[in-house]
Amino acid sequence: MKFIRVDMTAKKVKVEEVPEKYAGLGGRGLTSMIVADEVKPTCHPLGKNNKIVFAPGLLSGTSAPNSGRISVGAKSPLTGGIKESNAGGSFSQKLARLGVKALVIEGMPDEDNLYVINVNASGVTIEEAPREIIGKGNYEAIKGLSSKYGEKVGIAIAGPAGEMRLAAANISIKDPDGNIRSAGRGGLGAVLGSKKVKAVVVDDNGAPGVPIADADAFNTAAKRFAKALLDHPVTGQGLPAYGTDILVNILNEAGGLPTQNFRRGRNEWANDIGGETMAATIKERGGKPTHNCHTGCVIRCSQQYYDKAGQYLTSGFEYETIWSLGADACIKNLDDIAYIDRAMDNAGIDSIETGATIAVAMDAGVIPWGDGKAALDLVEQIGKGTPLGRIIGSGAAVTGKVFGLTRVPVVKNQAIPAYDPRAVKGVGLTYATSPMGADHTAGYAVATNILKVGGFVEPLKKEGQVELSRNLQIATAAVDSTGMCLFIAFAILDIPDGFNALIDMINAQYGLSLTADDVTALGQAILKAERGFNEKAGFTRAHDRLPEYFQEECPPHNTTWDFTDEEIDEVFNF
């Protein structure tokens, strides 16, 4: 395995052996440790001293089910703290098969050109980006790069929003079908754009592949792991049938579906935008109701959503995107939401951040509540770089300040996702305390609060929530290091042999003898490094708080965010 360092100031590439201290790390563990070690916490996120790191997970590039996630890390221009965001697609597996443990991009050019970093079995080159893709939407740009470098290459690209260095810009990842997956949160597309890197292209043709210390033991463990995923009702039945959008009706029933900029937790049109309706619509139009975002995924929670004419519109039509536009912004037409989703992918902008920002803009009277056509226009303005588009593309916190609002749902300047913290209290603690800013994936307490996975903690009460968020944040940091999709958590929380099989795969691949305690220790070490970076960047416990308006009652349960500062501060007491 090797480290690739790309110096964009000197336009030089250095390939080196993996430093010993990083030997047992991958994915989020590796990106966060490198950022914590090598990036000055007080640097400007878009300046020369920031670095952006791409790291496959520990199991990426193998036959392990659901191991195709790529982690991307840097100092975030949105939060000002450390950030890791991960995505599916083919990029991670191809990078791992080339023997690349991490790709670190540092420095920045003086000139105004954009570049493509080309990684293949022969080495790494820095090339000028084709002129015809500069400023173009991601769909056109990915087609252009695939035509130039090969139809099967992996691509990580900064869209127009990233070129403009907007704080909500994501990094778009090509999937095996040429469609788009997103390392969405934290503005990492802006960091890539600041390095004047339009895209990273990975061609694994002729790659040596990933060595496995004990292939027989690995294959046996992989089969056990796959069985656990397929046996669990969430990963084996619910998600394949209805995608993540299955959660719309579930959260609406639970009173935790944030509606009209977090004014209430339930609405009367949820079923019109829910997973059941989406699946029926896809089938009626000849789309694909179940689909995998990377090779080897057995959950297949993605889909291909077609328009009324039977033409492809978007993939990975996720619950959080549909929530932010359909409930939070009150857009009640699933097709309108799909067109906006496609436009966000095309611009290279985070759909959670942007959907929440649109709701804030509606609250400010910029466009009417529920106006899907006006919302689509706002997103298209982001891609064009109009003044209003640049405001919206800078995220909910900036938009709220520009329009003088106090009702702005952010923590550490990152938009709060699709679960109201007054009705799902465990995830509220994750929003408040995660080093990543408000992020449901950092410690998905919804699993236990609402879905009753891994036990049950009453979502409307405070009891047990601190321990739940703490334990899930620790476990998630470790899972994010394996290259595994977060959704494996449903199975490994409920099926002990699923968790054991995960550890057995890592041990068989690397010739190790890790235990569950080692996994916990890894998660704790990652979180401590991330929190340490943020403290040096100027964050204090006072930043681990939800906005004041969450002290208002949230219908239908009329619960409030009632944790004391002291209780919140206990989450990271380990």
Side-chain angles (χ1 to χ4, degrees), residues 134-189:
I134 295 173
K136 301 297 183 183
N138 278 330
Y139 282 99
E140 184 177 345
I142 287 173
K143 282 184 179 178
L145 290 170
S146 298
S147 177
K148 177 178 174 64
Y149 291 100
E151 294 299 325
K152 294 185 178 181
V153 297
I155 296 172
I157 189 168
E163 289 185 34
M164 289 181 273
R165 300 177 296 284
L166 301 180
N170 66 23
I171 294 177
S172 296
I173 309 291
K174 176 186 173 185
D175 76 7
D177 293 322
N179 300 321
I180 292 170
R181 309 291 155 170
S182 302
R185 313 229 62 196
L188 299 186

Side-chain angles (χ1 to χ4, degrees), residues 109-272:
D110 293 327
E111 70 279 3
D112 226 7
N113 293 342
L114 286 173
Y115 296 89
V116 172
I117 297 172
N118 183 15
V119 185
N120 55 47
S122 300
V124 184
T125 55
I126 305 170
E127 306 165 9
E128 286 199 20
R131 288 194 173 276
E132 59 269 20
I133 73 167
I134 295 173
K136 301 297 183 183
N138 278 330
Y139 282 99
E140 184 177 345
I142 287 173
K143 282 184 179 178
L145 290 170
S146 298
S147 177
K148 177 178 174 64
Y149 291 100
E151 294 299 325
K152 294 185 178 181
V153 297
I155 296 172
I157 189 168
E163 289 185 34
M164 289 181 273
R165 300 177 296 284
L166 301 180
N170 66 23
I171 294 177
S172 296
I173 309 291
K174 176 186 173 185
D175 76 7
D177 293 322
N179 300 321
I180 292 170
R181 309 291 155 170
S182 302
R185 313 229 62 196
L188 299 186
V191 181
L192 194 63
S194 75
K195 304 299 180 190
K196 303 297 174 69
V197 175
K198 177 62 179 172
V200 181
V201 174
V202 181
D203 184 353
D204 65 341
N205 187 40
V210 177
I212 306 290
D214 188 337
D216 288 341
F218 184 92
N219 291 335
T220 298
K223 289 177 183 176
R224 289 164 44 216
F225 186 67
K227 183 178 186 303
L229 296 179
L230 293 171
D231 284 350
H232 195 276
V234 174
T235 50
Q237 299 169 34
L239 287 172
Y242 302 111
T244 58
D245 197 31
I246 191 175
L247 289 165
V248 165
N249 281 322
I250 293 172
L251 265 296
N252 195 57
E253 179 65 26
L257 186 70
T259 297
Q260 200 177 17
N261 198 16
F262 288 81
R263 281 181 169 78
R264 58 191 186 278
R266 185 177 290 164
N267 64 60
E268 65 274 13
W269 65 87
N271 190 57
D272 293 342

Side-chain angles (χ1 to χ4, degrees), residues 392-536:
I392 302 298
S394 296
V398 166
T399 299
K401 285 182 180 179
V402 168
F403 291 102
L405 296 187
T406 58
R407 192 179 197 85
V408 184
V410 296
V411 177
K412 302 178 181 73
N413 282 335
Q414 182 163 275
I416 294 174
Y419 313 88
D420 197 293
R422 294 162 293 187
V424 192
K425 295 199 172 187
V427 82
L429 287 170
T430 297
Y431 295 157
T433 61
S434 168
M436 299 294 164
D439 186 346
H440 62 294
T441 70
Y444 193 64
V446 180
T448 308
N449 281 167
I450 302 296
L451 302 177
K452 299 183 180 180
V453 171
F456 176 64
V457 177
E458 168 58 53
L460 302 177
K461 297 179 180 179
K462 295 198 294 183
E463 289 75 17
Q465 307 291 2
V466 167
E467 295 78 12
L468 177 64
S469 177
R470 177 196 298 137
N471 292 337
L472 287 174
Q473 288 194 59
I474 291 168
T476 300
V479 168
D480 284 343
S481 301
T482 63
M484 286 286 173
C485 166
L486 180 61
F487 292 159
I488 70 163
F490 294 114
I492 66 176
L493 283 169
D494 279 344
I495 303 174
D497 191 57
F499 178 64
N500 293 333
L502 176 63
I503 297 175
D504 290 346
M505 283 190 292
I506 297 171
N507 286 336
Q509 181 178 343
Y510 294 97
L512 301 172
S513 53
L514 300 176
T515 66
D517 288 342
D518 295 312
V519 174
T520 299
L522 172 63
Q524 290 177 339
I526 294 166
L527 288 171
K528 287 178 179 178
E530 292 169 349
R531 199 164 176 85
F533 180 96
N534 283 1
E535 288 171 355
K536 293 174 185 175

